[in-house]
Each structure stands twice: as structure tokens, then as C-alpha cells.
């Protein structure tokens, strides 16, 4: 009997440590809408640094509750067209932003890194407005995302050993995104990644317009230099630095 009681007490003591307690106003997006696809790049090696960023202990999308509820409304609209949102980044711990700054100043520039910024030196990405030293992502009010055509073959997987073309190349040559062709890959620091660029095809333009319009109907504003980046005015506040762990 004492053994059973002791085991129960131990479980009670351990269980809270396994689940992340979020600050007021933050939620796991999967608790709001589990149908929204998540591919949180900074929790993996599939990003411009080639490694997980500080603070990303799990590939979980964390946002302010209002942001999550509005994303759910966008998802419900898109579902009628056999489309889905795919989240690339949501809340970003301040330590991850500092990690990006350190990466930009390390004096190295690998071929894999150049895939994301083929036209610029990485030390210039902050000055040019492609990466921010103080990110709205850290307030929980900004997200990076794309569209997935649920009727298409989205089985292509990223292979870190593969020698892909840079992010401005045709979709068949660059790293697989498992999403519609927006004209560039995610996190492409290039003029072609600007939302309103004239350097993309009519089909790619329609996909971008579809995403921007669906997000705008729920109050989200796009960042002109990144077709994937949106924020919800008024939903932010202070920047946070709590690490991301699994929802459950």
C-alpha cells in the first residue's frame, strides 16, 4: 500500500514538470486548432543557420490566444478550398533572436547558408530588414506561414545531405517545402521574396494573393519584404524569453 501511495505521489510531483506552463495570454496553437500544419523550422536544422536556435526545445507553435483564434478562422475559410495553413514560426524566444545576431557576426558563410541569402552577405541581413534585432515574434503577435494544397502530393522531405539550389530557384530544384509554390522558399532573403515583387509567375502571384487576402480578412498585416510574415496589430506587448517545450 505504501508503495502504491509513494508511486502516486511521485507521479503527481513529476507530471507538472513535463508540461510547459505558458505566461498569461499565450497558448499552444494545436490546442486552438490541431488541423493547422506545423513545420517549426528553428527547432530543426532546416533553416538558415543549419541548426536549432536557442530556446526551441520543441517544434511547437506558441502564440497569443487572439492570434490563435484568428488563425483558426483563416483555417476554416481555407478548408473550403482544400487548403491549409502551415506554420513555419510563431512565438520566438528573445534568446533565439540573440542567437541569430551571433550567427550573423560569426564570420562564416557556408554554401548551405547561402541558399537562403544568395544575393547578400549575412552580416547585412539586419541592416537590409530581413532579420530584426528585436522581433515582434517575441511578443507572440507575429507568425511565419504558407499554404498547403491538400489535394497535392506534399510528401517531399528535406534532406540535409542534399545539395539544393538556392531559395530563388524553381521549386523542383530548391529544398522541398511541402506547400504551394510561392516563388521562393521560406526565409529567402532576396528581392524575389518581397510580397509584391514582379519577378514571379502569375500562378505564384495568385498563391501569394490568396494567402494575403485570407489573412487580411482576420486583421493580419503582411511584412512587405517577406511574403510569409504576418502580424496582428494590437496583439503584442512585451517581448518574452521563455523556452518552447512540448505542449504535452
Amino acid at each position: 500500500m505504501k508503495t502504491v501511495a509513494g508511486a502516486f505521489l511521485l507521479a503527481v510531483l513529476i507530471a507538472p514538470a513535463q508540461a510547459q506552463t505558458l505566461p498569461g495570454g499565450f497558448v499552444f496553437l494545436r490546442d486552438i486548432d490541431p488541423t493547422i500544419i506545423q513545420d517549426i523550422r528553428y527547432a530543426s536544422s532546416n533553416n538558415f543557420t543549419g541548426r536549432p536556435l536557442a530556446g526551441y526545445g520543441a517544434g511547437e507553435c506558441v502564440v497569443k490566444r487572439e492570434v490563435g483564434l484568428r488563425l483558426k478562422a483563416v483555417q476554416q475559410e481555407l478548408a473550403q478550398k482544400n487548403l491549409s495553413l502551415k506554420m513555419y514560426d510563431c512565438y520566438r524566444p528573445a534568446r533565439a533572436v540573440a542567437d541569430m545576431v551571433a550567427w550573423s557576426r560569426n564570420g562564416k558563410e557556408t554554401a548551405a547558408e547561402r541558399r537562403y541569402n544568395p544575393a547578400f552577405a549575412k552580416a547585412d541581413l539586419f541592416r537590409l530588414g530581413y532579420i530584426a534585432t528585436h522581433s515582434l515574434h517575441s511578443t507572440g503577435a507575429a507568425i511565419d506561414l504558407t499554404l498547403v494544397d491538400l489535394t497535392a502530393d506534399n510528401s517531399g522531405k528535406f534532406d540535409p545531405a542534399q545539395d539544393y539550389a538556392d531559395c530563388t530557384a524553381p521549386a523542383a530544384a530548391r529544398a522541398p517545402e511541402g506547400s504551394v509554390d510561392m516563388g521562393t522558399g521560406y526565409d529567402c532573403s532576396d528581392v524575389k521574396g518581397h510580397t509584391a515583387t514582379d519577378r514571379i509567375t502569375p500562378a505564384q502571384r495568385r498563391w501569394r494573393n490568396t494567402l494575403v487576402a485570407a489573412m487580411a480578412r482576420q486583421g493580419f498585416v503582411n511584412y512587405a519584404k517577406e511574403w510569409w510574415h504576418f502580424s496582428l496589430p494590437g496583439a503584442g506587448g512585451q517581448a518574452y524569453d521563455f523556452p518552447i517545450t512540448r505542449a504535452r
Side-chain angles (χ1 to χ4, degrees):
M1 190 68 176
K2 288 183 180 180
T3 302
V4 174
F8 175 77
L9 178 60
L10 182 61
V12 170
L13 291 174
I14 292 176
Q18 294 175 333
Q20 181 174 15
T21 301
L22 300 176
F26 280 90
V27 296
F28 288 101
L29 180 61
R30 70 175 66 256
D31 289 338
I32 299 291
D33 191 337
T35 72
I36 298 177
I37 301 168
Q38 297 190 30
D39 181 12
I40 307 302
R41 293 292 184 83
Y42 299 140
S44 73
S45 63
N46 187 11
N47 62 65
F48 59 84
T49 70
R51 57 173 174 77
L53 289 181
Y56 283 83
E60 290 281 357
C61 175
V62 174
V63 290
K64 286 293 184 68
R65 179 174 293 277
E66 182 181 1
V67 172
L69 292 173
R70 295 197 186 210
L71 287 173
K72 178 173 182 163
V74 175
Q75 180 79 342
Q76 290 173 336
E77 175 189 334
L78 293 173
Q80 299 174 23
K81 305 173 184 177
N82 288 315
L83 298 173
S84 173
L85 294 174
K86 176 189 270 192
M87 311 306 298
Y88 284 137
D89 193 36
C90 304
Y91 158 74
R92 182 183 304 165
R95 71 190 72 183
V97 179
D99 201 1
M100 289 181 179
V101 174
W103 165 84
S104 74
R105 297 172 178 171
N106 67 13
K108 303 175 182 177
E109 197 114 33
T110 68
E113 291 173 347
R114 294 293 294 175
R115 287 195 293 106
Y116 292 88
N117 51 297
F120 309 113
K122 70 181 188 181
D124 294 329
L125 297 181
F126 289 90
R127 177 179 60 81
L128 295 171
Y130 291 108
I131 305 177
T133 53
H134 296 87
S135 176
L136 192 59
H137 280 278
S138 298
T139 72
I143 61 269
D144 294 342
L145 73 176
T146 189
L147 294 174
V148 174
D149 180 354
L150 298 176
T151 67
D153 178 5
N154 299 302
S155 61
K157 301 296 182 183
F158 173 74
D159 180 357
Q162 183 69 34
D163 186 21
Y164 296 111
D166 73 59
C167 59
T168 66
R174 63 180 187 259
E177 300 278 342
S179 61
V180 303
D181 182 8
M182 292 287 192
T184 75
Y186 168 57
D187 257 355
C188 189
S189 298
D190 188 89
V191 174
K192 198 173 178 182
H194 294 188
T195 309
T197 183
D198 59 3
R199 301 184 185 184
I200 57 177
T201 68
Q204 293 162 348
R205 165 63 51 215
R206 286 194 294 274
W207 282 126
R208 291 192 187 190
N209 289 346
T210 297
L211 178 60
V212 170
M215 295 294 285
R217 281 191 283 274
Q218 290 299 323
F220 289 100
V221 177
N222 174 249
Y223 177 49
K225 288 189 174 182
E226 299 176 346
W227 59 257
W228 55 85
H229 179 98
F230 293 82
S231 59
L232 185 61
Q238 72 178 82
Y240 285 80
D241 190 36
F242 62 89
I244 301 168
T245 59
R246 296 200 178 280
R248 59 178 63 84

